[in-house]
Amino acid sequence: MEIRKKMTNLSPSSIFFAFCLILKKIEMLVKIHGAALLGIDATPVTIEVNIDKGIGYHLVGLPDNTIKESNIRIGAAIGNNGYKLPGKKITINLSPADLRKEGSAYDLSICIGILAASQQLESDLLDKYYIMGELSLDGTLLSISGALSIALKAKELGYKGIILPLCNAKEASLVDLEVFGAKNLQEVIDFLEGKISAPKSTPLNYLNIQNYPSDFALDFSDVKGQVAVKRALEVAASGGHNALLIGPPGSGKTMLAKRIPGILPSLSTQEILETTKIHSVSGKLSNMGVVVQRPFRAPHHTISDVALVGGGSYPKPGEISLAHNGVLFLDELPEFKRAVLEVLRQPLEEREVTLSRAKFTLTYPASFMLIASMNPSPSGYFLHDEKNTSSPLEVERYIAKLSGPLLDRIDLHIEVNPVPFENLNQKNTAETSQSIRERVQKARDIQWERYKDIDFVHNNAQLTPKLMDKYCSLNAESQKLLKSVVEKLGLSARAYDRILKVSRTIADMNEHMEIETLDLAEAIGYRSLDRKQG
C-alpha cells in the first residue's frame, strides 16, 4: 500500500524509468566455472547463465541427455530449499560450445548460476572457485566422477579452490587447494554468502599417505609347494615383467596370480596420484577416496576390445588403464577372442594406449604387469599326463590361438605342475608375502638408483633397446650360450630382448653388477613355450 502511494506521486516518465531499472535488475548474466573430462584429464568449462525477458529454458553447448534432464532436478532442488525458479527466459551455455559435455556434475554449477543470475544469491566468490556436483531432488549433493582431475585443473589455472560434494572431498584434497565439500545445496549457498568460513573437508597430506592400510588378505603363505613357480613370480615382480602360467586345472595358477599384488613394492606418491585419477574418472573409486594398493584387474574372457583398452561414445579408461601401476590378470588366455588379445600389442610395448577418433585423440596410461594363465592342452593336461586325451596336433592348434607376437611380449613362460599330496598335507607354513616383498623391494631399489636420471624408466621391463646395450651387456661365455639358444629355438629379436631384461633382473636379485652366465641360464629357462616350439 505504501509503495502504491509513492508510485501515484511519480510522473509517468519516472515510473517508466523505474520499470526499466527493475527489468535491468532482472536481466543478468552470471558465469560459473567448472570442467569437463577428456580422457583422464580435465579441460575448463564456463557455465554461462543469462536471465532475460520472456519465458523458456534453453540449454546449449553440446550437452548429453543427462545434462538436458538437469532442469528437472535443479527446479525441484531450488524449490525444496526455499528458493524460486525464475519465471523468465533462462539461457544456459556450456562454453566452449564445440566440446561435448556429459554427466550430471553440472547440476550444481547451473543451479548456482540460476540463483546468482536471479539475484537470490549474491557472492563475490563465483570467479574464484570451480563448482561441480550432482543434485538430488531435495538438494543433497551426490558423487561425481573425476574430482581429482578437476581439482588438478583448478590448481593449474590458479583458482582459489573447488566446491564439490562432500563424498568427493578426500580425493580432491590430494591437491594443494582449498576444498569445500558440501552435503547439500544450502551449505554451498551459505559458503558462497560467507556464512560458513572454513571448508568442511580436512585436506589429506599425501606425502604421508604410505601410512594408510596396505595389508593384503591373500598371502603367498597360503600356497603350499610350488617353490619354483614362486621364484619365477618373484623374478617377474622384481623387474615388472609379464608372465604366463601354464598348468592343468587345480594346480594353483589363479591362486598364485591373485597373490602377486602382495609382493609388489608400495605405490609411490606419484603412482598414487596417477592411479587415483584413473579410477576417479572411471567412477570406480572406493569410499577411501584414494588408491593406496596396487590394482588387480581380472576381466572375464567374454570382454570386448573396447572394454579392455577403453573408448566408447564418451571415452572411458579400459581394464588395461584401470590396471595401471598394478596387475592385469587374464585367466584362461586362449578363451579370449583373438581380436581382443591382439589389441594388447601396443600397450604392452608403449605402456600407454592411444585412441583416435574423428574429432579428438586420447591417450590413457597403461603400464601394468600382464599375468595370464592357460591349460597346456584342450583337455587341460600336459601331453605326458595320463589324464590327457588331446593329441599333439590338438595341443599345437590350442597353443596357436595365441599369436607369436603376443607370446614374444610375455617375458616368462612358467610351467605349473600339480602339487604332490606330500606338500598338500604338510603342516609347515610357507614363506609369507611380506618376506618376498622385502626382497622384491631390494631389487627395485637397485633399479631405481640405476635409472634415477631417466624419466621414463623405473624398472628393467621398461628398458629400451638403446639402454639395454648399456645395462644388459654379456660376457663372452654368456654371449656364446645365448647365441646357441637363439639359433636352436629360432627366437625373434623381441624374445631375445626379453631374455636379456629378465637376466638383468635376476642379476639384480643376486646382487651381481654384471649379468652372469647363471643369471642368463635361469632367464632362458623361463621361455618354456619357445623350447617346445624349438
Side-chain angles (χ1 to χ4, degrees):
M1 182 66 70
E2 184 177 347
I3 295 176
R4 187 176 298 175
K5 287 180 180 180
K6 291 182 179 180
M7 292 289 288
T8 57
N9 296 328
L10 297 175
S11 63
S13 61
S14 299
I15 295 174
F16 178 75
F17 181 71
F19 183 69
C20 289
L21 288 177
I22 294 173
L23 286 179
K24 186 177 180 181
K25 188 175 182 180
I26 293 176
E27 299 169 13
M28 189 173 180
L29 172 64
V30 170
K31 295 183 178 182
I32 307 297
H33 302 282
L37 296 174
L38 280 179
I40 63 170
D41 296 315
T43 186
V45 170
T46 302
I47 298 90
E48 302 175 324
V49 180
N50 185 70
I51 295 182
D52 203 349
K53 292 177 291 185
I55 297 176
Y57 185 92
H58 306 281
L59 179 60
V60 296
L62 291 183
D64 69 349
N65 288 334
T66 305
I67 303 176
K68 291 177 182 177
E69 294 173 350
S70 64
N71 64 314
I72 300 174
R73 297 189 295 272
I74 292 169
I78 288 177
N80 288 328
N81 282 270
Y83 299 90
K84 292 183 179 180
L85 189 67
K88 298 291 180 179
K89 179 183 177 181
I90 303 175
T91 303
I92 302 166
N93 177 42
L94 307 179
S95 175
D98 61 345
L99 176 68
R100 297 176 67 185
K101 290 86 179 179
E102 67 166 332
S104 55
Y106 299 95
D107 289 2
L108 182 60
S109 312
I110 296 172
C111 181
I112 294 298
I114 291 174
L115 292 177
S118 61
Q119 296 192 334
Q120 299 179 74
L121 165 65
E122 295 184 2
S123 175
D124 58 355
L125 299 179
L126 298 180
D127 290 334
K128 300 178 180 179
Y129 288 83
Y130 266 16
I131 303 176
M132 301 291 288
E134 178 184 341
L135 282 172
S136 62
L137 299 185
D138 63 354
T140 301
L141 290 179
L142 306 178
S143 176
I144 62 173
S145 298
L148 178 55
S149 298
I150 296 171
L152 288 168
K153 179 57 66 173
K155 173 67 176 178
E156 177 187 336
L157 297 179
Y159 284 84
K160 182 179 180 181
I162 181 173
I163 300 172
L164 75 177
L166 182 61
C167 47
N168 293 114
K170 283 186 177 180
E171 58 177 295
S173 295
L174 290 172
V175 183
D176 185 16
L177 191 73
E178 184 177 311
V179 177
F180 181 80
K183 295 179 181 177
N184 51 54
L185 174 61
Q186 189 59 55
E187 283 192 3
V188 176
I189 296 172
D190 290 343
F191 176 74
L192 291 172
E193 290 181 339
K195 297 177 182 178
I196 300 177
S197 58
K200 289 288 185 180
S201 64
T202 302
L204 298 173
N205 182 359
Y206 61 80
L207 295 176
N208 294 328
I209 211 159
Q210 303 287 3
N211 296 329
Y212 277 68
S214 58
D215 294 335
F216 291 86
L218 303 177
D219 197 281
F220 263 93
S221 61
D222 302 329
V223 183
K224 297 182 178 180
Q226 303 295 13
V227 176
V229 181
K230 290 179 182 179
R231 164 68 181 183
L233 293 179
E234 182 180 339
V235 171
S238 297
H241 302 290
N242 306 318
L244 173 61
L245 302 174
I246 309 166
S251 57
K253 302 186 297 296
T254 302
M255 188 177 186
L256 287 160
K258 287 183 176 180
R259 284 155 176 77
I260 292 177
I263 65 173
L264 293 174
S266 300
L267 287 168
S268 66
T269 299
Q270 183 60 35
E271 288 175 328
I272 287 172
L273 291 174
E274 291 176 357
T275 311
T276 301
K277 184 194 291 189
I278 296 170
H279 285 249
S280 174
V281 168
S282 303
K284 301 183 183 297
L285 205 57
S286 65
N287 294 332
M288 191 175 182
V290 59
V291 178
V292 295
Q293 293 182 345
R294 294 193 178 272
F296 181 86
R297 307 294 299 182
H300 193 260
H301 65 260
T302 56
I303 190 173
S304 67
D305 52 354
V306 173
L308 187 64
V309 301
S313 301
Y314 292 94
K316 294 288 185 183
E319 288 292 331
I320 62 174
S321 295
L322 292 170
H324 181 63
N325 292 323
V327 175
L328 176 69
F329 177 49
L330 302 182
D331 199 7
E332 302 299 337
L333 192 63
E335 301 302 324
F336 285 79
K337 297 176 183 176
R338 189 181 182 98
V340 172
L341 295 179
E342 294 307 303
V343 300
L344 288 173
R345 289 190 189 184
Q346 184 221 7
L348 287 174
E349 288 289 332
E350 305 295 334
R351 299 193 174 271
E352 63 183 19
V353 58
T354 300
L355 305 177
S356 298
R357 299 295 183 264
K359 293 186 178 181
F360 57 84
T361 299
L362 298 176
T363 299
Y364 293 121
S367 181
F368 58 90
M369 278 182 61
L370 173 63
I371 304 296
S373 70
M374 62 178 287
N375 295 328
S377 67
S379 65
Y381 300 93
F382 290 108
L383 278 174
H384 57 75
D385 197 305
E386 60 182 12
K387 297 181 181 179
N388 177 56
T389 58
S390 301
S391 66
L393 181 59
E394 289 174 329
V395 173
E396 185 177 344
R397 288 175 177 172
Y398 179 74
I399 296 178
K401 291 182 179 181
L402 308 178
S403 68
L406 178 62
L407 289 176
D408 276 351
R409 287 168 169 83
I410 300 178
D411 306 86
L412 292 85
H413 308 156
I414 309 165
E415 291 188 5
V416 185
N417 292 300
V419 181
F421 175 79
E422 292 76 14
N423 290 339
L424 289 175
N425 197 41
Q426 67 182 2
K427 301 299 181 181
N428 297 332
T429 304
E431 190 176 23
T432 65
S433 293
Q434 175 63 33
S435 60
I436 299 175
R437 183 165 63 244
E438 290 174 358
R439 294 197 299 270
V440 170
Q441 183 66 62
K442 188 175 181 180
R444 287 288 185 107
D445 289 341
I446 294 174
Q447 296 165 52
W448 272 99
E449 181 64 24
R450 181 189 298 132
Y451 309 128
K452 62 182 179 181
D453 296 327
I454 308 173
D455 293 335
F456 56 90
V457 176
H458 304 295
N459 55 53
N460 292 326
Q462 298 172 347
L463 285 173
T464 62
K466 186 176 181 179
L467 292 173
M468 289 175 59
D469 292 338
K470 180 178 181 180
Y471 296 112
C472 300
S473 59
L474 300 176
N475 57 36
E477 184 181 356
S478 298
Q479 288 180 352
K480 182 178 179 181
L481 171 63
L482 186 55
K483 179 182 178 181
S484 65
V485 170
V486 170
E487 292 177 348
K488 182 177 181 180
L489 301 182
L491 299 181
S492 66
R494 183 177 288 111
Y496 169 85
D497 287 347
R498 300 284 170 169
I499 290 175
L500 285 180
K501 291 179 182 180
V502 175
S503 301
R504 179 66 267 176
T505 298
I506 296 172
D508 292 337
M509 296 171 66
N510 295 333
E511 300 184 14
H512 296 160
M513 293 296 294
E514 302 293 336
I515 298 175
E516 298 186 3
T517 304
L518 289 178
D519 303 327
L520 178 64
E522 182 178 354
I524 294 172
Y526 293 134
R527 304 290 300 185
S528 63
L529 289 183
D530 293 332
R531 294 202 309 274
K532 292 183 184 303
Q533 292 172 358

